[in-house]
Amino acid sequence: FGRRLQLRFGRTAAEIVPLGVIVATWVIAMAIVVPALQHLEPFGEHGLDVKLWTWIPAGTFTVDLGFHVDALTAALLIVVCTIGMLVHLYSVGYMAHDKATWRFFAYLNLFMFSMLLLVLANNWVLVFAGWEPVGLSSYSLIGFWYHKRSAALAAKKAFIVNRVGDFGFAL
């Protein structure tokens, strides 16, 4: 989608649309953070669980796809959304010389989505489902300039370290 956007409307559209999405995400997150940190309704003292649907029904074992927001989640939302928004804003200028800006911002938005899934997950299976795309997008961002040997080697190292982290996570 980003490549078509950049080809049709130019490089600015491929930068502004992802930045606009992240700014909108930051605004929505702050609208959630304020009442969650103040323990207002509907969050209360224990937070708010939102179940979207049952993801894995297996007899007595079920895993719901849903999100949980409490004071800790709210603090992490502030960190993830604010830093993500600032990185997007900085990247517009930093990537001005690159022809594949659309690809960089696609990886960056995948990273943001994955981090938000990781932070908002209401169960360990969903946390792991957020953890894996964080690793993928990290690998993609680190190796973005894959034509450079150093970037390719760093991406490979990040991939291997992430697999070690997956093993530790699974334990």
Side-chain angles (χ1 to χ4, degrees), residues 38 42 54 142 146 154:
Q38 295 175 348
T54 300
I142 292 167
Y146 55 86

Side-chain angles (χ1 to χ4, degrees), residues 31-53:
I32 292 170
V33 161
V34 171
L37 287 178
Q38 295 175 348
H39 304 295
L40 300 175
E41 289 300 324
F43 298 99
E45 287 291 321
H46 301 289
L48 174 68
D49 258 328
V50 177
K51 175 185 168 186
L52 301 177
W53 65 81

Side-chain angles (χ1 to χ4, degrees), residues 69-88:
V69 178
D70 58 7
L72 177 60
T73 305
L76 290 171
L77 278 175
I78 292 170
V79 171
V80 169
C81 290
T82 302
I83 291 174
M85 182 179 64
L86 293 174
V87 167
H88 271 74

Side-chain angles (χ1 to χ4, degrees), residues 4 28 32 34 38 41 43 54 60 69 74 79 81 89 93 98 105 117 120 137 149-150 152 154 158 169:
R4 289 185 187 154
I28 293 167
I32 292 170
V34 171
Q38 295 175 348
E41 289 300 324
F43 298 99
T54 300
T60 58
V69 178
V79 171
C81 290
L89 185 61
D98 203 279
F105 280 101
L117 184 62
L120 293 169
S137 52
R149 181 166 167 71
S150 60
F169 191 101

Side-chain angles (χ1 to χ4, degrees), residues 1-157:
F1 175 73
R3 185 175 184 193
R4 289 185 187 154
L5 188 68
Q6 184 169 334
L7 290 173
R8 184 175 176 127
F9 299 108
R11 127 184 265 100
T12 305
E15 297 165 346
I16 297 302
V17 169
L19 178 61
V21 168
I22 296 304
V23 169
T25 301
W26 184 85
V27 169
I28 293 167
M30 293 310 112
I32 292 170
V33 161
V34 171
L37 287 178
Q38 295 175 348
H39 304 295
L40 300 175
E41 289 300 324
F43 298 99
E45 287 291 321
H46 301 289
L48 174 68
D49 258 328
V50 177
K51 175 185 168 186
L52 301 177
W53 65 81
T54 300
W55 185 21
I56 303 172
T60 58
F61 176 76
T62 60
V63 177
D64 296 329
L65 181 71
F67 303 112
H68 179 79
V69 178
D70 58 7
L72 177 60
T73 305
L76 290 171
L77 278 175
I78 292 170
V79 171
V80 169
C81 290
T82 302
I83 291 174
M85 182 179 64
L86 293 174
V87 167
H88 271 74
L89 185 61
Y90 175 78
S91 296
V92 169
Y94 184 76
M95 296 300 294
H97 69 283
D98 203 279
K99 291 182 172 124
T101 304
W102 61 271
R103 187 166 43 96
F104 180 81
F105 280 101
Y107 295 157
L108 204 52
N109 277 14
L110 175 63
F111 185 78
M112 284 294 299
F113 170 79
S114 306
M115 285 298 295
L116 289 172
L117 184 62
L118 187 70
V119 166
L120 293 169
N122 70 343
N123 60 63
W124 288 109
V125 176
L126 195 55
V127 168
F128 194 75
W131 174 261
E132 285 305 313
V134 165
L136 171 66
S137 52
S138 296
Y139 167 79
S140 301
L141 286 166
I142 292 167
F144 178 74
W145 287 301
Y146 55 86
H147 56 277
K148 290 182 174 179
R149 181 166 167 71
S150 60
L153 290 174
K156 186 167 74 171
K157 182 179 179 181

